[in-house]
Amino acid sequence: MGKKLLIRNAAQIVTPEGNSARFGKEMGKLKQYEDASILIEDGKIAAVGKDPSWGREVPEEDQIDASGKAVLPGFVDSHTHLVFGGYRPDEFLWRMGGMSYMDIMNRGGGIVNTMKATREASEEELAAHAMDHLKNMLAMGVTTVEAKSGYGQDYDTEMKQLRVTRTLNASQPVELVSTFLGAHAVPPEYAGRGDDFIEFLLHKVMPDVAKQHLAEFCDVFCEKDVFSVEQSRHLLTEARKMGFKLKIHADEIVSLGGSELAGELHATSADHLLHASDAGIRAMAENKVVSTLLPTTAFCLREPFARAREMIDAGCAVALATDFNPGSGFTFSVPLMIGLAVIYMHMSAEEAITALTLNGAAAVDRADRIGTIEPGKQADIVILHYPSYKFLPYHTGINIVEKVIKKGELVVG
Ligand code: NIG
Ligand code: FE
């Protein structure tokens, strides 16, 4: 018989349902149980329900009393730039003083600044910093994190970043999903030669990334003055032939057509979308692309938020993620993100939960394994300090996660 854990007498268990992203109105529908329990066996959810006849055999020391607490699926942060060298506090304050993100980038700051520090850092240094951040993310209920490369932009450093992600995945509880984002900026060596840089990635770097199974997704910063829609289409089309699943940084600074491209390519997700057009929104909804919104980035850039309400009303599947990175948003605060989503982006609390669990899981192509509390799913679970999920937006900006369970093991609390 396998190892069992019983979470009993939860004031509330609340979860979206299903094995795929929830679109439009479906995002607001959550299954709720009161005074209910969850039986976990061998790291998976075996049963969920009220007054169970099951679970009585579980020894006292393997039971968690959740009376007075709300229980939810573990949170999925489906867009981060977790592994990087150095920090950029000065740039943050320059932006607050009125300089734009693109002004700073065009003056040699921005991504290239972090690229230099990442090239210089050792694998151990990069891992130690990322490990610190992961511990804090886990404490906020995040049990799965997507992590992008893209601060190397040369062969050795891109591979180094991806190896760090792989090492970290094996050495702490948070599950990491690796994304290759070599096309994050044109590095100084290729200034004015973006096309050549893409060919370099396609022919010299990505075949080895694929061969060594160092990344599951390929992403690109499709943006004015970075990579055009045509360049992004070419990169992603070739990436798919090599076996990568697709993501795209779309319409973050200007409305360039990245969300339309995501629809055309049936990408797994399109991310940022601050300036997604109506046609882009339709393209994502019709082609079942997860629309990943990153409210803390808009907040830290002092930009208007993405049109979450309109996207959901148009039938999109919205996911929420932090975009944690040293530049445009140096935060992985899930409580802040939920507050912004509900207060400023007019998402309901229920939609925010779906966005952070099942739709986040879909954004990393894991909706069949994680993202809900249903029999058969991996037991990734958070227990809140309060009796209702409504406290997540209401206790604004405060971490109310008390316990975290990853693959059936208590890892926080
Ligand atoms: O998702 N937009 C491109 N990449 C990151 C920012 C990276 C950086 O500024 O270092 C983002 O916002
Ligand atoms: Fe990003």
Side-chain angles (χ1 to χ4, degrees), residues 163 232 296:
R163 279 196 306 273
S232 303
T296 51

Side-chain angles (χ1 to χ4, degrees), residues 270-344:
D271 302 39
H272 281 288
L273 309 172
L274 300 186
H275 302 278
S277 68
D278 293 344
I281 291 175
R282 273 197 305 279
M284 292 187 290
E286 282 166 12
N287 296 294
K288 305 285 178 220
V289 177
V290 176
S291 308
T292 301
L293 306 185
L294 313 162
T296 51
T297 307
F299 185 60
C300 293
L301 291 176
R302 205 184 269 150
E303 289 288 329
F305 295 99
R307 297 190 281 156
R309 186 71 266 142
E310 284 172 69
M311 289 181 193
I312 297 171
D313 292 343
C316 288
V318 166
L320 287 168
T322 66
D323 194 25
F324 173 57
N325 74 74
S328 62
F330 184 52
T331 179
F332 44 69
S333 173
V334 169
L336 174 62
M337 176 170 71
I338 295 174
L340 295 174
V342 172
I343 297 168
Y344 282 115

Side-chain angles (χ1 to χ4, degrees), residues 79 81 148 249 272 323:
H79 180 139
H81 305 252
K148 301 175 196 296
H249 277 68
H272 281 288
D323 194 25

Side-chain angles (χ1 to χ4, degrees), residues 35 76 99 110 128 141 173 252 286 291 306 403:
D35 191 22
V76 179
M99 223 186 260
E252 176 181 359
E286 282 166 12
S291 308
K403 290 188 170 65

